[in-house]
Amino acid sequence: MLVPIKWLRELVPTDLSTEEIGRRLTLAGLEAESVTRIGEEWNRVFVAVVEAVERHPDADRLVLATVAAGEHRLTVVTGAPNIAAGQRVALALSGARLVDAYSEELQYKTLKPSVIRGVKSEGMVCSEKELGLSDEHEGILVLADDAPVGAPLRDYLGDDVIEFEITPNLVHAFSVNGIARELAAILAIDVNPIERADLSSAERHDDRIIIEDASLCARYALAVIDNVTIGPSPEWMQRRLAAAGMRPVNNVVDITNYVMAEIGQPMHPFDASQMVSETVIIRRAHPGETIETIDHVQRTLDEQMLVIADDQRAIGLAGVMGGVNSEITDATTTVLLESASFNPKTTRRTARVLKLPSEAAARFQRGVDPNLAWPAIERFVALLREIDPAASVRYVADAYPRPRERAVVRMKYSEVERLLGMTIPLPVVLEILGRLDLAPVVEETDDGPVVVVSAPTYRSDINLPADVVEEVARIYGYDTLPERLPEGQSVPIVRDPARLVDRVVQDALVAAGLQHVITYSMISDSDLLSLSPERASIPDLLGGYARPEADYVRATNPLRSDWELMRPSMLPSLLKIVAENRKFSPRVAIFETARTYQPVALDELPDERRGVAIAMGGARSSPDWHGASDGELDFFDAKGAVEIMLDRLGAQHVTFKPVSHPSMHPGRSAAVCLGDLQIGIIGEAHPNVAANFEVDWRVAVAEIDLEAFTGTLLDNWRVEPVSRFQPIRQDFAVVVDESVVATDVQAAIQAAAGPLAASINLFDIYRGRGIDDGRKSLAFAVTLSAPDRQLAEHEIDRIRGKIEQNIRKRVGGTLRS
């Protein structure tokens, strides 16, 4: 919204600079985005009077004008057709910087004296375009008769304009008067009253307004005005509207726009003589009803749109735009003036669907106070009488089915300190709320003072005690609030153990070369039956016995007609993915972590258990250049992936026991047991099961229940500090008998080095020249590090000696030199 500062200062007398006004309002929550200075370039342009106009001796279309501006009196050559003696004009002297009126793009030129047809012209009388006010260049700008001759044009016609960002909750400030109220509250001064006409004695005809749905139109007021003469509005009004971003049209339309910009109430004038009846109906549009709006576009309406109509047709889109069939023209003499309050949602939808934004719609969409409708009519009539004294009000009408009352909000005084973190004295709080027209009253209670405010109807944003505290804070000054760090204890982060187990499992299996997949949790009866080689009964993966279909959990609203079962196993989903990827990939190794749904007693919710499933098939590795590979993935590949995963989980006492299962290849399956509890199964899918899923590979599968690790995962973890000192690597080549395993040698090195051995890794095994038959050389890289110091040479020598002794003693080995 654009707010001219001169207009604002008429309502709030203040000497603050434009920048300070913008800063104060921004700190109070009304963001000033930018400042435009009208006339900033007019450094050598003055208000002047035309003393005489004579014909140019050598040109029929040019005249010589004698122009005076205080101490400046000169003759200018001009071709302006509207120049006349006695006019007040804008005179630019040599050196003035003006807009080039003959350039299509915005360009400036510096005025210099010139000789035109033998006559020296020492200045220029300016058009609106040359001053940057508009694109008008047909004639010169003629100022009002009371313009002060000799004054800089910047002082008389220039202005500063602040653009404010008005958010939806600040609709009460969507006008010059709304901004003035805010500024007056900040400065603790009064707003100058706006002149309004007294219409208390006007004839009333409220029955000539019919509101069919009060939820769509809270209030509708009108005035019928006779003897109106349509013409241009005064120069001062046109300038003010242009500064506020609106194009002047004629006196009646300009006054409605002026009132809207001034107090925030959109209005619309109709040509009363073009209406079929005197009754105004506010109704929903009929399906397929059409109207030609004043932008001369035929628009088709629907029943969710609100229209203004007479007895036969729509004459306007409520809150958006009027119709051509009732538009104000130069021939209009009787005006029906509308001032109303329309439903924000309906207005927003109409403007959006018809792609018809307007200044009125922008305000109605935010919610216009119904109590503004009548004051707006009074303000319009006052301005019209000033411009067109012959105009007279024939009658007025006002339909207000459910008048809006002031909202009452109760706030404990202690809320101010609780929410702001500082104490503001109660008298100061009351004084601030009084400035905002909230009419505060204090009630004493056992819990302390309670402030009761009565919010005016234009403050629809004040509904809660926190809203009242916010009003106090922004007027008192957000910049006065104390700066301090928030107090209190942060809540410790509690990790979901199940999610942590999932993450560890996923990281481990991805590191083992598998891909993570996500599938739907619903499968069909056919998918589950396919786990049986003969597709006769459904095997239980953990128990191995057949279960009746009725035991499984069925969805009452499946995503697809063939997805009825909540899957008790993830293997059908993974085997279908293997079959699909088999078509274009020589190797598939996938896993999924998800819930399975195990049936329990009748009429009880299923047991949702988190688990992981693996499916691997195809070539173990990509073929080399001559086509050879390492064979097919099998049971042992799946078992290796499961072992890596269990190691990451810190699982202890895990064993693999041979087991026979109907879904698995005979002799190629094992149960995964944690102590005495079976937690999963590993095996190669039975050839018939693989065929049921259209897979012609050997497919190794596994499914593990992860619930057993949820509560114990963190118990097996420990955190150790990392030394900030440089680690030292020492290599040890240990010669031992062939029967000695590498882990025993590693344990002997670890026992000798103790906690100073950060890592011990086997990196080479050697048999051959220099090594006796029946013996081998194992090479270990030992990283030595101390947490509190850099290891010295003598300490490293001592550790090497201990390692050599321990190897000889525990595994019968020697160190190679």
Side-chain angles (χ1 to χ4, degrees):
M1 183 186 71
L2 301 176
V3 178
I5 292 300
K6 287 184 177 179
W7 197 349
L8 183 63
R9 284 199 172 105
E10 282 186 8
L11 299 176
V12 183
T14 175
D15 294 329
L16 293 178
S17 66
T18 300
E19 291 74 13
E20 184 62 15
I21 290 174
R23 189 187 74 84
R24 295 279 191 98
L25 289 168
T26 298
L27 289 176
L30 291 163
E31 182 181 357
E33 291 192 315
S34 63
V35 176
T36 301
R37 302 186 186 280
I38 299 175
E40 188 175 19
E41 302 291 336
W42 303 340
N43 57 328
R44 290 184 58 78
V45 184
F46 298 88
V47 176
V49 60
V50 179
E51 295 183 342
V53 177
E54 301 175 358
R55 294 187 60 182
H56 192 290
D58 295 325
D60 294 337
R61 296 185 180 182
L62 299 178
V63 296
L64 306 180
T66 302
V67 187
E71 61 183 19
H72 306 286
R73 188 174 185 275
L74 58 157
T75 298
V76 299
V77 180
T78 178
N82 62 330
I83 191 168
Q87 290 175 336
R88 300 292 199 272
V89 296
L91 173 64
L93 304 180
S94 176
R97 192 164 179 263
L98 303 174
V99 175
D100 187 349
Y102 299 98
S103 173
E104 294 182 358
E105 299 180 355
L106 178 62
Q107 292 183 359
Y108 287 90
K109 63 179 182 180
T110 301
L111 185 62
K112 299 178 181 179
S114 60
V115 177
I116 303 175
R117 293 292 185 95
V119 178
K120 185 177 183 181
S121 182
E122 302 174 298
M124 176 185 288
V125 283
C126 304
S127 66
E128 292 188 14
K129 185 171 184 180
E130 287 160 337
L131 294 171
L133 294 174
S134 73
D135 290 331
E136 178 61 41
H137 187 51
E138 293 300 321
I140 61 170
L141 170 65
V142 180
L143 305 177
D145 293 340
D146 59 353
V149 176
L153 188 65
R154 161 70 180 164
D155 296 344
Y156 171 67
L157 205 57
D159 201 355
D160 291 344
V161 180
I162 301 180
E163 182 176 4
F164 289 96
E165 173 65 26
I166 304 298
T167 53
N169 64 308
L170 297 176
V171 66
H172 65 278
F174 206 162
S175 64
V176 178
N177 191 56
I179 297 292
R181 281 195 303 253
E182 295 293 309
L183 183 59
I186 295 169
L187 303 179
I189 58 179
D190 295 328
V191 178
N192 290 332
I194 296 173
E195 181 186 355
R196 291 155 43 184
D198 183 4
L199 300 179
S200 59
S201 60
E203 188 177 343
R204 295 287 293 258
H205 289 286
D206 295 348
D207 58 335
R208 293 182 183 176
I209 299 174
I210 299 175
I211 301 176
E212 292 189 352
D213 189 343
S215 66
L216 301 181
C217 178
R219 187 179 191 180
Y220 195 93
L222 63 82
V224 175
I225 306 171
D226 294 323
N227 302 321
V228 177
T229 301
I230 302 300
S233 55
E235 182 267 341
W236 65 267
M237 181 175 287
Q238 294 187 41
R239 300 289 165 229
R240 192 160 280 184
L241 288 174
M246 288 178 277
R247 180 179 61 87
V249 180
N250 57 53
N251 52 355
V252 171
V253 174
D254 289 355
I255 295 174
T256 61
N257 288 333
Y258 188 92
V259 173
M260 177 177 66
E262 185 176 49
I263 67 175
Q265 173 64 52
M267 310 177 78
H268 185 75
F270 299 94
D271 187 333
S273 66
Q274 300 301 313
M275 296 178 62
V276 176
S277 65
E278 291 188 339
T279 301
V280 177
I281 305 170
I282 300 90
R283 61 169 173 82
R284 292 180 183 271
H286 302 142
E289 185 174 9
T290 62
I291 183 175
E292 183 181 354
T293 47
I294 59 176
D295 58 354
H296 299 286
V297 175
Q298 193 77 17
R299 303 184 187 277
T300 302
L301 313 181
D302 60 48
E303 62 275 13
Q304 296 187 52
M305 298 176 182
L306 192 67
V307 299
I308 311 301
D310 54 26
D311 287 345
Q312 296 183 9
R313 59 186 179 164
I315 59 174
L317 292 173
V320 181
M321 189 173 288
V324 167
N325 53 15
S326 59
E327 183 180 11
I328 298 295
T329 66
D330 292 343
T332 299
T333 58
T334 302
V335 172
L336 187 149
L337 178 68
E338 165 195 283
S339 182
S341 178
F342 300 114
N343 183 282
K345 292 182 179 179
T346 303
T347 307
R348 184 183 305 113
R349 180 188 179 277
T350 301
R352 186 185 71 250
V353 171
L354 298 179
K355 299 179 180 179
L356 193 58
S358 66
E359 287 281 349
R363 286 165 170 82
F364 281 123
Q365 288 172 22
R366 289 169 166 82
V368 174
D369 178 17
N371 290 330
L372 267 180
W374 189 252
I377 286 183
E378 294 177 325
R379 178 57 174 159
F380 177 95
V381 172
L383 289 169
L384 182 62
R385 286 174 176 173
E386 178 183 337
I387 295 171
D388 187 4
S392 61
V393 177
R394 186 197 308 175
Y395 68 86
V396 297
D398 186 10
Y400 198 2
R402 292 192 291 269
R404 182 179 294 181
E405 303 294 336
R406 294 173 73 104
V408 176
V409 180
R410 299 172 60 87
M411 176 199 72
K412 292 182 179 180
Y413 168 62
S414 58
E415 284 290 282
V416 175
E417 183 174 0
R418 187 182 74 84
L419 293 177
L420 301 183
M422 66 178 294
T423 301
I424 301 177
L426 180 57
V428 176
V429 171
L430 298 177
E431 194 264 339
I432 289 174
L433 296 176
R435 282 192 248 159
L436 292 167
D437 192 24
L438 295 178
V441 176
V442 178
E443 294 180 359
E444 294 294 340
T445 68
D446 294 340
D447 294 332
V450 172
V451 179
V452 182
V453 301
S454 176
T457 53
Y458 61 80
R459 293 304 304 270
S460 58
D461 57 322
I462 299 180
N463 302 289
L464 303 171
D467 298 331
V468 180
V469 175
E470 181 184 12
E471 294 301 300
V472 173
R474 67 188 189 88
I475 301 301
Y476 190 76
Y478 288 127
D479 53 335
T480 64
L481 298 181
E483 298 179 5
R484 66 182 184 188
L485 294 175
E487 298 177 355
Q489 295 181 345
S490 60
V491 179
I493 298 176
V494 179
R495 303 290 185 187
D496 182 356
R499 295 294 297 273
L500 184 59
V501 169
D502 280 0
R503 193 180 71 186
V504 172
V505 168
Q506 292 165 7
D507 290 346
L509 294 179
V510 168
L514 282 74
Q515 290 183 300
H516 185 195
V517 299
I518 300 175
T519 62
Y520 289 104
S521 59
M522 304 174 75
I523 59 176
S524 66
D525 294 87
S526 176
D527 292 336
L528 206 53
L529 279 171
S530 295
L531 289 178
S532 169
E534 296 79 20
R535 296 177 57 88
S537 59
I538 302 174
D540 180 80
L541 286 173
L542 293 182
Y545 54 86
R547 307 186 67 151
E549 293 183 42
D551 281 358
Y552 291 100
V553 183
R554 294 186 178 273
T556 57
N557 56 340
L559 297 176
R560 289 183 358 192
S561 59
D562 56 343
W563 285 356
E564 295 183 352
L565 290 179
M566 303 299 290
R567 62 183 179 187
S569 168
M570 289 177 271
L571 290 184
S573 303
L574 296 193
L575 288 171
K576 290 171 73 174
I577 292 180
V578 172
E580 202 58 37
N581 285 270
R582 169 71 180 89
K583 300 173 184 177
F584 51 84
S585 177
R587 177 183 188 274
V588 179
I590 58 176
F591 75 93
E592 181 176 16
T593 56
R595 287 186 175 90
T596 57
Y597 302 86
Q598 308 302 326
V600 291
L602 192 64
D603 297 330
E604 290 188 15
L605 293 174
D607 181 14
E608 298 186 28
R609 302 188 67 81
R610 296 201 66 84
V612 58
I614 294 172
M616 307 173 71
R620 181 172 289 115
S621 62
S622 299
D624 57 23
W625 65 274
H626 53 73
S629 67
D630 294 336
E632 293 182 291
L633 293 166
D634 57 20
F635 169 86
F636 295 101
D637 294 287
K639 179 174 179 289
V642 170
E643 287 177 331
I644 291 173
M645 178 192 76
L646 293 174
D647 181 65
R648 290 283 187 91
L649 289 171
Q652 300 177 0
H653 311 296
V654 175
T655 56
F656 299 90
K657 299 178 180 179
V659 68
S660 177
H661 193 283
S663 297
M664 302 298 173
H665 193 296
R668 299 180 185 175
S669 60
V672 182
C673 298
L674 184 63
D676 297 330
L677 176 67
Q678 181 178 344
I679 61 171
I681 190 169
I682 307 175
E684 290 185 21
H686 193 286
N688 290 348
V689 171
N692 290 341
F693 287 96
E694 300 181 357
V695 178
D696 55 1
W697 280 341
R698 296 172 60 179
V699 183
V701 296
E703 188 158 17
I704 311 293
D705 184 6
L706 297 176
E707 294 289 337
F709 303 100
T710 299
T712 61
L713 177 61
L714 294 177
D715 296 340
N716 300 316
W717 287 13
R718 69 172 187 265
V719 178
E720 296 179 350
V722 176
S723 175
R724 63 186 180 90
F725 299 97
Q726 181 70 29
I728 296 173
R729 170 174 165 160
Q730 293 285 303
D731 292 346
F732 296 87
V734 182
V735 179
V736 293
D737 291 339
E738 282 284 1
S739 60
V740 178
V741 296
T743 53
D744 290 341
V745 179
Q746 181 174 335
I749 296 173
Q750 181 69 65
L756 295 179
S759 66
I760 303 175
N761 296 307
L762 175 68
F763 67 89
D764 186 42
I765 301 176
Y766 174 73
R767 300 177 182 87
R769 191 174 63 179
I771 304 297
D772 296 338
D773 293 339
R775 292 174 72 81
K776 60 186 175 183
S777 173
L778 305 177
F780 290 88
V782 180
T783 301
L784 302 174
S785 176
D788 57 348
R789 68 189 185 282
Q790 182 69 49
L791 292 176
E793 190 66 32
H794 70 276
E795 291 180 289
I796 297 173
D797 291 340
R798 186 172 67 251
I799 294 171
R800 288 187 66 89
K802 287 184 178 180
I803 291 175
E804 185 174 3
Q805 293 176 8
N806 214 35
I807 287 174
R808 186 182 301 111
K809 180 179 179 182
R810 294 181 59 168
V811 297
T814 59
L815 291 182
R816 293 176 63 195
S817 56

